[in-house]
Amino acid sequence: MTVTTARGFSAAGVAAGIKTSGDLDLALVVNHGPSYAAAGVFTSNRVQAAPVQWSRQVLRDGRLRAVVLNSGGANACTGPEGDVDTRLTAERAAAAVGADALDVAVCSTGLIGVRLPLDALLPGVDEAARQLSADGGERAADAILTTDTVHKTAVAEGPGWCVGGMAKGAGMLAPGLATMLVVLTTDADVPGAALDRALRDAVRTTFDRVDSDGCMSTNDTVLLLASGASGVTPDPDALADAVRAVCADLAMQLVRDAEGASKDIEIEVVGAASERDAVVVGRTVARSSLLKCALHGEDPNWGRVLSAVGTTDARFDPDRLDVAVNGVWVCRDGAPGEPREKADLTGRRVTLTVDLRSGEESAVIWTNDLTAAYVHENSAYSS
């Protein structure tokens, strides 16, 4: 269940010495063809890391031969030197796998504002190339972790083809088209334009609906590479479904591994006048620190939901709002509903339903609670 489950791909993960811990910190994923179609989605943060800017450029022709990823340093806000470091990384990877540098994407994650140690990173690229294997997906997934506690991989099968993927992300998870680093692969024979459509549609309703802490990274990247090695060109809807399934699986893994989280929270907004209204309401509720603290304390404080909804420009009547906590409608018509004591919050999974009663549209946002462990993690980890 990795990026190498799809035929035509190899990967590796090595300890290049970027991290002082000695853990795996550099990954390489290579597409061996016969097709090299690719698509990508990137952060909408106006402050963008050098690897994001590079990868945007090289993807303009809709093809990639390889992706090199490092953890232990974001290469963001590092000035012109950071741009040079990204280009040198791509050139080194290209030379190692027999490709052109303009067919190599670069992804980085870690501390912002510090240059990467190229004396460790570049030899690490060479070592990763030597270790490339059809079984290297697990080590590659491990090599891109920062504050993650587990690696994240997923696969969706089609008739004679598949989509695989890996992701990292545990903090700074807020929508910006992507919300972390993700590499997806497929052995389906699909042109770049079709990949782009499938990826953007999938990201819109999966990664773009994860809002862990309201903080958007400078490095967010989602890449989809197609090798065509299966020789199968799937129906566009089937491809879209498979890409979305893998993205949804990885997105839920991100939520479960969010820094310090003890609750996985699904916010379903129904009865909205537009999908946009539903997303705005769901995202605003997800970003309520008061509500996230209440849910951590297993308090079904629906008043905090209503107060968050009321700050949005969505269409609704405050006297017609309904809220359910784990299926118990604790608020009806903007006033107390069923006894709040009926809402059992002892489990890890929490579902909030907000009915705006203003239309037929809906959306789901995923978030997590706010804990002392999150505060500790982000006071001890410089980012």
Side-chain angles (χ1 to χ4, degrees):
M1 293 183 59
T2 72
V3 291
T4 54
T5 299
R7 285 164 287 184
F9 291 92
S10 61
V14 301
I18 303 167
K19 292 179 178 177
T20 57
S21 64
D23 291 339
L24 299 180
D25 53 20
L26 188 140
L28 183 61
V29 179
V30 177
N31 181 356
H32 299 283
S35 173
Y36 304 107
V41 181
F42 302 90
T43 182
S44 61
N45 195 322
R46 292 172 61 192
V47 178
Q48 296 183 0
V52 168
Q53 297 178 40
W54 170 271
S55 296
R56 280 185 187 276
Q57 292 292 324
V58 301
L59 260 174
R60 284 186 171 181
D61 64 356
R63 58 176 275 142
L64 287 176
R65 290 286 304 278
V67 185
V68 57
L69 311 94
N70 75 270
S71 56
N75 194 11
C77 307
T78 48
E81 294 85 357
D83 297 330
V84 173
D85 293 346
T86 298
R87 177 177 56 80
L88 291 174
T89 300
E91 290 175 346
R92 191 67 162 255
V97 302
D100 189 293
L102 295 180
D103 288 331
V104 177
V106 179
C107 301
S108 298
T109 181
L111 185 64
I112 293 171
V114 177
R115 288 186 66 188
L116 293 170
L118 288 195
D119 58 340
L121 190 152
L122 297 182
V125 172
D126 295 336
E127 182 59 29
R130 285 190 288 269
Q131 293 190 26
L132 283 170
S133 166
D135 299 318
E138 294 284 347
R139 284 177 64 85
D142 282 333
I144 61 176
L145 306 184
T146 51
T147 59
D148 309 66
T149 63
V150 294
H151 72 243
K152 303 162 181 74
T153 62
V155 167
E157 300 282 350
W161 57 277
C162 73
V163 176
M166 67 179 184
K168 68 79 51 184
M172 294 188 80
L173 293 178
L177 292 183
T179 46
M180 64 282 113
L181 299 186
V182 177
V183 177
L184 307 172
T185 58
T186 181
D187 49 17
D189 187 8
V190 184
L195 286 180
D196 186 74
R197 286 192 297 272
L199 181 62
R200 291 184 184 277
D201 287 347
V203 167
R204 185 181 67 83
T205 57
T206 58
F207 297 130
D208 195 33
R209 302 288 172 87
V210 171
D211 202 320
S212 174
D213 54 12
C215 297
M216 186 192 300
S217 172
T218 56
N219 291 58
D220 303 338
T221 301
V222 180
L223 301 174
L224 172 58
L225 288 68
S227 70
S230 70
V232 178
T233 300
D235 176 81
D237 289 340
L239 174 69
D241 288 345
V243 173
R244 189 188 184 284
V246 173
C247 290
D249 191 333
L250 293 172
M252 294 305 97
Q253 293 182 55
L254 295 174
V255 171
R256 288 194 293 270
D257 196 34
E259 291 171 345
S262 67
K263 304 289 185 185
D264 304 329
I265 304 167
E266 178 181 301
I267 302 168
E268 181 184 24
V269 181
V270 301
S274 66
E275 183 183 30
R276 181 260 180 197
D277 276 5
V279 171
V280 167
V281 168
R283 204 182 306 290
T284 303
V285 171
R287 292 181 176 181
S288 169
S289 296
L290 285 175
L291 175 64
K292 289 155 75 77
C293 289
L295 294 177
H296 174 60
E298 300 180 353
D299 175 11
N301 193 332
W302 56 267
R304 293 180 178 178
V305 177
L306 261 61
S307 64
V309 174
T311 67
T312 73
D313 62 358
R315 189 187 310 172
F316 66 86
D317 180 344
D319 294 327
R320 286 171 54 82
L321 291 175
D322 295 339
V323 176
V325 179
N326 282 350
V328 179
W329 290 95
V330 291
C331 171
R332 289 286 195 185
D333 296 322
E338 298 180 66
R340 55 192 290 165
E341 294 77 16
K342 288 186 176 181
D344 182 5
L345 292 175
T346 56
R348 183 174 178 104
R349 182 175 174 82
V350 176
T351 300
L352 302 178
T353 305
V354 180
D355 192 344
L356 300 180
R357 296 170 66 184
S358 296
E360 302 298 325
E361 298 298 321
S362 63
V364 175
I365 300 291
W366 294 277
T367 188
N368 49 271
D369 55 343
L370 181 57
T371 70
Y374 176 86
V375 176
H376 173 75
E377 179 74 48
N378 287 283
S379 61
Y381 174 78
S382 182
S383 61

